[in-house]
């Protein structure tokens, strides 16, 4: 950590800060500069908060040298983490995994019917929303537990593991019992109590990036889960919020090489939410494969115009199958299986 | 609601959509245009979801004419809502309310000591964090229930009502029992389960704007609380995330006239989080008063350099007192008391 | 165009607006709604400005149904435009074109040397900066005309057409005489006088997207060039500015299917500027190919650590060659040549 | 400047960089850290480019300690700059200056008529657009030179100095001859050739912030003008582009204390463009005054509904007069004249 000090700061303030930092166990190396003085801090600075140090009036600026994450940091864990979702492996050199299914579960028949389509097309995990985070209280809020049970039926019929979003800690037991991969949605990426709660279970977690989360914020949320005891975190990019209006969000594909460089965790892309428009899903899905994604999660519905939510971004099964066909060719071109 | 239809869409798709909309109880007025056809929908469209309609391939675009919120909408509730926080009234023509206190409660002495300073300076509500949403799992996470009890002590000693952030529904009873104004933080603004939960209590809610929430998203989150039964919502702007790096967030003061135009709810500004730097807090606080804010919430600490969190944006008590002195003058200039 | 009118607006204001619109030659279809009334305007509305209509106090909102661009609009020009850059064709079903070269031209030797490397690797156009838009007046500003002449030498030696950025209309003759593809940079995307000026020349234009330009803004800038008489516009995405800090910009790849849907113009991607870091360039370049890009423009330098600008995002020639090798495989997987 | 070096980098690369930096005349202080090594550079680093250093593979990160601007930097010029616009002084402790006028000049009568209203209301500079940067080539582009002459007439009749936007260097003589304050618009904030050109004239410059410009970018653009020889730069905030849709832009008022801290230049606020809606202009204008702005620039039109551009954000003269009346009261409350 680098602390920039004002030249004209009172000596006693500077000494006070110097002492306080030494008390935290770090070594201080001082450099006298032209306009500012600089301290380089050596030692474990992960528990120092930049903003606490900034509170000293003698300080002009504080900059971190080492990343604030440890468990997710590839520097301390060079090997790829491979996450096992009820037998389906994600990450490292494993084949790319495509997850598909409807935005909302609408009943057992719909769940089973679409799960079969997903499987037939080559999808390996069935996704579906039972508890739905909707912007409007007047929109359909999901079938809840009934929807989870419908997904369990779909798994029975197809053998596909299931992933669904957990919105509240009081439903954790239900998810541990029934769901194979527990999704934390974008809107809850910094619901820290929920992160800690899923850090205590032994199911893998799909952690979506928040709409305004920096990559560092996102990795720190993974670190919450990991430091609570659960190492099985899969990161999922679903687009960030920008000024652009032609798409619902802006998909940030540079996260793929960055997540692989900074962390050892698998990275999955959700082109359905990133674009918000089925017409653009295929192009962005292929792009994600070419950039090195470990998986895709895609909304599929056999009657998008009758979907109870987000039909606009759902692919029909035949389009989903065609996407997987094309994705396989692109995967092969970058030496990955799918 | 306005639906734009593609000219070359198959007739049966169009008829199918027409029927589906009529089944939802809206009247359809068709206009034949040059490049597109247009349907104007008349009736209650709040429960129609734009994105469901967009899922029809014959549809090029969907635009809402009426706002998607009802209970918060000034159109249906022209009078200002005044929220009563244990006797302190906020909103309408009531005097502007300044809330102050530390980012984190650090113990009973600190709480009582700072609450006295806040009161002496003219603050009318004591704020403090007991449960802290921190980006890093390695940062101080708050004293929890102990911190709430420390705030209760501070209230006993000063008579100031207290506001603190609720991060998880399982602590609601604790908050209902002890806290006068329940804060929902920016990171939980779309934690819909939590919004519904606080919609069922009879304490007023301070709803912070999410870092990437549009004003409409934010009002919809208020609508969640209100439609669950709790009409006492105060909106609080705390800055949005932009590309700018010299401040922690960008304070959006246009929200003040907009919230007053679109809704009947009180609007409070948090210049501490918006700027992230105590040096800029006073300027932005005075700006908020001039623009018509109903209140301010400001971080105050008597030893910012020793604060357990966010010292960088905390004002010392004497600076807080000076801010209130100046804010009074600005309030008078815009015909408000403080 | 759809105009939403306030219910309680004075009748004379409404009549005044009605007359003014009819005078502009559009037909008005009125719909009486619950909370608002609505007018649908039929006819040529491209020359009506939403904001002029909004200036009427009786108007609550104005929404465009048809796109504001005509010449770039695929609706009125269904066939792909293929742009010919001194014999190299870009767009449509033509092979994907890779452009490469240094951020800054540093002299004849450097230009020729790198152009040869670009050609050897499979690049088909040589890029280089002679006039450099630098954030700091103290940074190297480019060799100017000398740099252009160095590029001309590089073309002589390699046969590769050359592309370079034009920053000011007073250099147009120099560019018309020497350069094969005239680049308008992101910072000048809304320098409308410059757009009009290059609309009058008969060289193709590479129009970069502004850092905060919506896709619609960007197409409108192409429309400026086209409506001034130059139909040969290639659009180039180079990343937009967001809150993310790990990359210089955020590359928005959804533009590829969108530009192809909304316009008939070729679309080229610049992963060097989009990421700002050579380590991420390959992944994003392959992604762009998979998503359907018509070309790539990539910074190449044989000694990035000695480059006079932007070495951080430049690929060494061997990495550039490897990128093209991989890009060819991905191109084949999506049925394109490269 | 702080350079973070990878621990495992080859020794010869590190020595090469060390030598290269010493050759640039800076002193290097090395600190051996736990995960990285760090160099602190002492000396004049303004001409070093972070990104050139980043191009060395041994470098993990580069961070600037001192600001990259010198002439605009308050550290080296502690006194406020007061800019004289044909006798009207702006900045320092001078009275706040309100500039007003139409978005577009529409003819001599309109210009003179509105200038008189602006003066009667208390405005001290007359603004008007003769050359208009419009997103669409089909929108009114301004009267050009004729509009400038109309403004000259308005100055003759009222005595108010005039400000207008210069879009292209080839019109500089026209502006030097006729205009008192030369505006560089948001879209040209990084049109560096234009910045250098106005750096060579002896008229004051009103430099608007670009829609996606950080404060540092903006100050660097001022530095371009100043380093070319023109010290009379007034900075003007006009809102930045964010995801918010209820306003045209987001006004960033924290710039006021920041610009005053980092630079010695005057800062003026444009609430008309920042909000894009006349209904919100007054609130934001008062906020700007309370936050310490040195001036306001506001769009005024006597018939907004007939304005040739941007009527939606124009105030009628009586509203403008009321705004000035209120602004005076707020100014007095913060001990400024207006």
């Amino acid at each position: 950590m680098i602390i920039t000090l004002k030249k004209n700061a009172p000596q006693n303030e500077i000494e006070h800060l110097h002492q306080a930092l030494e008390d935290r166990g770090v070594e201080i190396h001082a450099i006298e500069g032209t306009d500012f003085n600089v301290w380089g801090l050596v030692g474990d600075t992960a528990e120092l908060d930049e903003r606490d140090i900034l509170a000293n009036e003698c300080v002009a600026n504080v900059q971190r040298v080492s990343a604030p994450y440890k468990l997710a940091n590839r520097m301390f864990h060079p090997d790829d983490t491979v996450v096992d979702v009820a037998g389906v492996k994600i990450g490292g050199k494993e084949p790319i995994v495509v997850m598909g299914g409807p935005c909302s579960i609408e009943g057992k028949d719909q769940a089973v019917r679409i799960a079969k389509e997903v499987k037939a097309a080559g999808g390996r995990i069935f996704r579906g929303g039972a508890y739905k985070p909707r912007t409007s209280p007047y929109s359909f809020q999901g079938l809840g537990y009934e929807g989870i049970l419908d997904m369990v039926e779909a798994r029975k019929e197809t053998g596909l593991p299931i992933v669904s979003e957990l919105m509240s800690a009081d439903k954790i037991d239900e998810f541990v019992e029934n769901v194979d991969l527990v999704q934390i949605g974008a809107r809850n990426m910094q619901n820290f109590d929920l992160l800690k709660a899923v850090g205590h279970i032994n199911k893998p977690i799909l952690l979506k990036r928040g709409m305004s989360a920096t990559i560092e914020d996102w990795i720190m949320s993974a670190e919450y889960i990991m430091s609570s005891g659960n190492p099985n975190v899969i990161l999922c990019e679903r687009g960030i919020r920008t000024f652009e209006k032609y798409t619902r969000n802006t998909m940030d594909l540079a996260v793929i090489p960055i997540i692989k460089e900074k962390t050892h965790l698998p990275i999955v892309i959700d082109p359905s939410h990133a674009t918000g428009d089925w017409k653009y899903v295929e192009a962005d899905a292929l792009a994600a494969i070419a950039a090195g994604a470990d998986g895709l999660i895609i909304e599929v519905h056999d009657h998008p115009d009758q979907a109870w939510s987000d039909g606009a971004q759902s692919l029909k099964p035949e389009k989903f199958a065609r996407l997987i066909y094309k994705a396989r060719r692109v995967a092969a071109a970058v030496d990955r299986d799918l």
Side-chain angles (χ1 to χ4, degrees), chain A residues 2-22:
Chain A
I2 302 293
I3 301 179
T4 307
L5 295 153
K6 295 176 191 163
K7 276 276 182 189
N8 55 359
Q11 196 52 32
N12 65 327
E13 278 188 28
I14 290 175
E15 279 163 17
H16 174 266
L17 176 61
H18 199 280
Q19 189 59 52
L21 290 168
E22 286 193 336

Side-chain angles (χ1 to χ4, degrees), chain A residues 44-66:
Chain A
D44 183 2
T45 57
E47 289 175 36
L48 290 180
D49 189 317
E50 295 98 303
R51 297 184 50 73
D52 293 350
I53 295 168
L54 256 183
N56 291 271
E57 291 199 25
C58 57
V59 173
N61 203 3
V62 182
Q63 295 167 320
R64 210 170 254 293
V65 168
S66 297

